C-alpha cells in the first residue's frame, strides 16, 4: 500500500461536499496561504521545465483556475512559509558543499547525474535518525521579482522550522 497526499477543499459551514483540489493526485503537500489568499503547496508535479530536475517544487492555486508552477530549487524544496502581509516566502532547500547558490548546486547535481553517481557518502552520524548526506539544508528568502537570497545553513540536522515576520522583513529559522 502506498499513500499519496492530496489536497482537499472543505466548506467550514458544511454546506458543500468536500472536493479534491484539481490535480492533487501527484502528491501535493504542505499547504499554506499567501497574503493574497492564494493557496501555496509543495508538489512533485511535472514542471514542464527540462532543466529543473527532480524534487518538490512550489506551486500556487488561485481561487479559480489551474495550479501554476511558482518556484523550484534544484533537488527540491523540503519546507516553506509565507509572510502574512507581503508576497515574501521563505523555504528550506539543500546546497551541496562547494555550492555558493542554487545555480552552482544545480551544476554539481548535474555533474553527479552525468557521472552516474546516485550514492551518498555519509560523513556524519547522529542519534536522531535523520539522513545526513553531503548537502546541508539552507533557508532561502524569495521576494517578488528578486533572486532567492540564501539566509544561511540550518546545520546538518536542519528541521526546516522557520517563520517570517508578517511584512516579510525578517526570517527566523532553526
Amino acid at each position: 500500500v502506498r499513500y499519496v497526499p492530496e489536497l482537499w477543499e472543505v466548506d467550514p459551514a458544511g454546506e458543500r461536499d468536500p472536493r479534491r483540489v484539481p490535480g492533487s493526485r501527484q502528491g501535493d503537500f504542505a499547504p499554506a496561504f499567501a497574503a493574497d489568499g492564494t493557496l501555496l503547496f509543495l508538489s512533485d508535479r511535472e514542471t514542464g521545465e527540462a532543466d529543473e530536475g527532480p524534487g518538490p517544487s512550489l506551486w500556487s492555486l488561485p481561487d479559480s483556475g489551474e495550479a501554476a508552477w511558482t518556484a523550484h530549487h534544484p533537488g527540491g524544496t523540503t519546507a516553506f512559509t509565507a509572510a502574512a502581509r507581503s508576497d515574501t516566502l521563505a523555504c528550506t532547500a539543500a546546497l551541496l558543499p562547494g555550492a555558493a547558490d542554487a545555480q552552482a548546486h544545480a551544476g554539481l547535481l548535474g555533474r553527479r547525474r552525468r557521472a552516474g553517481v546516485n550514492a551518498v557518502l555519509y560523513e556524519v552520524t547522529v542519534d536522531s535518525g535523520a539522513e545526513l548526506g553531503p548537502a546541508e539544508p539552507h533557508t532561502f528568502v524569495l521576494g517578488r521579482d528578486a533572486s532567492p537570497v540564501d539566509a544561511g545553513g540550518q546545520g546538518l540536522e536542519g528541521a526546516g522550522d522557520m517563520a517570517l515576520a508578517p511584512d516579510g522583513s525578517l526570517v527566523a529559522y532553526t
Side-chain angles (χ1 to χ4, degrees):
V1 173
R2 181 174 173 260
Y3 294 96
V4 178
E6 298 177 340
L7 297 177
W8 285 78
E9 180 181 324
V10 178
D11 178 11
E15 296 172 4
R16 294 187 322 258
D17 289 335
R19 72 175 185 94
R20 186 174 50 81
V21 172
S24 72
R25 294 228 183 257
Q26 291 86 351
D28 300 342
F29 62 100
F33 286 98
D36 66 359
T38 299
L39 177 64
L40 302 169
F41 58 93
L42 295 176
S43 180
D44 271 328
R45 297 171 183 229
E46 292 292 324
T47 64
E49 300 290 323
D51 296 338
E52 292 307 324
S57 294
L58 184 64
W59 289 76
S60 60
L61 184 68
D63 285 338
S64 61
E66 293 295 317
W69 177 60
T70 304
H72 181 78
H73 180 85
T77 300
T78 57
F80 78 94
T81 188
R85 295 192 308 264
S86 78
D87 57 5
T88 305
L89 303 171
C91 67
T92 299
L95 287 181
L96 285 166
D101 56 24
Q103 184 176 2
H105 180 71
L108 291 171
L109 287 176
R111 282 194 292 255
R112 286 176 55 95
R113 191 171 38 254
R114 286 187 299 279
V117 176
N118 59 9
V120 176
L121 173 62
Y122 294 99
E123 297 180 1
V124 177
T125 60
V126 294
D127 294 331
S128 70
E131 288 192 21
L132 301 177
E136 179 185 355
H138 280 242
T139 298
F140 292 89
V141 179
L142 297 86
R144 178 178 298 260
D145 302 326
S147 297
V149 174
D150 183 356
Q154 298 175 349
L156 290 175
E157 286 191 83
D161 294 333
M162 66 193 127
L164 271 172
D167 66 356
S169 64
L170 182 68
V171 63
Y173 62 91
T174 59

